[in-house]
Amino acid sequence: APGEYYHVYNRGNGKMDIFKDEQDYLNFLTRLAVLLGLPRGALGIGSELSAARLRLRLTSFDPGTFSLLCYCIMPNHFHFLIGQQRDISISSLILRLATSYSMYFNAKYKHVGHVFQDRFKAVHVGSDSYLRHLSAYIHLNPRTAGLVGETAAWKYSSYPEYLGAREDHMCDKALLLGQF
């Protein structure tokens, strides 16, 4: 619903890794940035990928249609904390993202079949306390999974953006930072 926020997540089919190297992570995040209508360079990591000017057949949504608060991309799944700001549903965004990434993944790895396990999940964020908890949960995911010793070391997350350690412009940080 417009004005509402959701925890959106999905994982690889059969729990398989769907992000196998840096190019995969950056391709997924670049596709997300394009769909969100963000300017080139909004994603601070992977400038070499942006410079390559990927030929993506994606039509951006109007800027401000969605508000990405935070994200974390893991080897076999992803998490977004995202707001729907207009009448266009989050399902439209995730469908375009998942379809585009699946086509890339299947071509690169000569994979046949589904890339994502199922339809994505979306859990409504109904309170400020849940919003804060969810932000921590999403950002702590790589450390909890044992992928890094420090949360800030995982670069496929919005956490370095929140710390000011990376020049990204992917997330609308005001709402979360306003909670503290």
Side-chain angles (χ1 to χ4, degrees), residues 152-168:
W154 189 253
K155 65 181 181 178
Y156 309 114
S157 156
S158 54
Y159 191 66
E161 181 180 346
Y162 273 88
L163 294 178
R166 189 173 63 220
E167 292 296 320
D168 282 3

Side-chain angles (χ1 to χ4, degrees), residues 137-150:
Y137 171 78
I138 289 171
H139 285 139
L140 289 171
N141 223 262
R143 193 173 89 194
T144 303
L147 297 174
V148 291
E150 292 186 29

Side-chain angles (χ1 to χ4, degrees), residues 38-148:
L38 300 174
R40 281 209 182 266
L43 180 61
I45 56 173
S47 56
E48 69 282 353
L49 194 63
S50 297
R53 294 198 166 283
L54 293 175
R55 289 188 181 188
L56 300 176
R57 294 183 207 155
L58 291 172
T59 303
S60 300
F61 291 97
D62 289 336
T65 301
F66 303 101
S67 177
L68 181 65
L69 300 185
C70 66
Y71 66 87
C72 186
I73 314 300
M74 301 283 285
N76 72 346
H77 68 284
F78 67 85
H79 294 274
F80 301 145
L81 176 48
I82 192 165
Q84 179 181 322
Q85 306 306 324
R86 301 198 179 133
D87 285 332
I88 298 171
S89 73
I90 289 174
S91 296
S92 300
L93 170 71
I94 302 302
L95 175 64
R96 285 191 200 175
L97 177 62
T99 300
S100 177
Y101 184 77
S102 294
M103 290 171 62
Y104 155 82
F105 183 91
N106 285 343
K108 180 178 178 179
Y109 295 106
K110 298 183 182 3
H111 179 265
V112 176
H114 296 285
V115 173
F116 294 98
Q117 182 167 314
D118 203 353
R119 188 177 182 332
F120 73 94
K121 310 296 184 281
V123 178
H124 180 254
V125 178
S127 69
D128 288 345
S129 62
Y130 184 52
L131 182 81
R132 291 188 301 271
H133 167 79
L134 196 52
S135 169
Y137 171 78
I138 289 171
H139 285 139
L140 289 171
N141 223 262
R143 193 173 89 194
T144 303
L147 297 174
V148 291

Side-chain angles (χ1 to χ4, degrees), residues 11-36:
R11 68 179 173 196
N13 193 22
K15 300 181 185 178
M16 75 175 176
D17 284 353
I18 51 177
F19 306 105
K20 298 182 179 202
D21 62 23
E22 185 171 45
Q23 182 184 26
D24 296 346
Y25 286 100
L26 297 178
N27 247 289
F28 186 78
L29 289 170
T30 299
R31 283 171 161 71
L32 177 61
V34 167
L35 286 168
L36 292 173

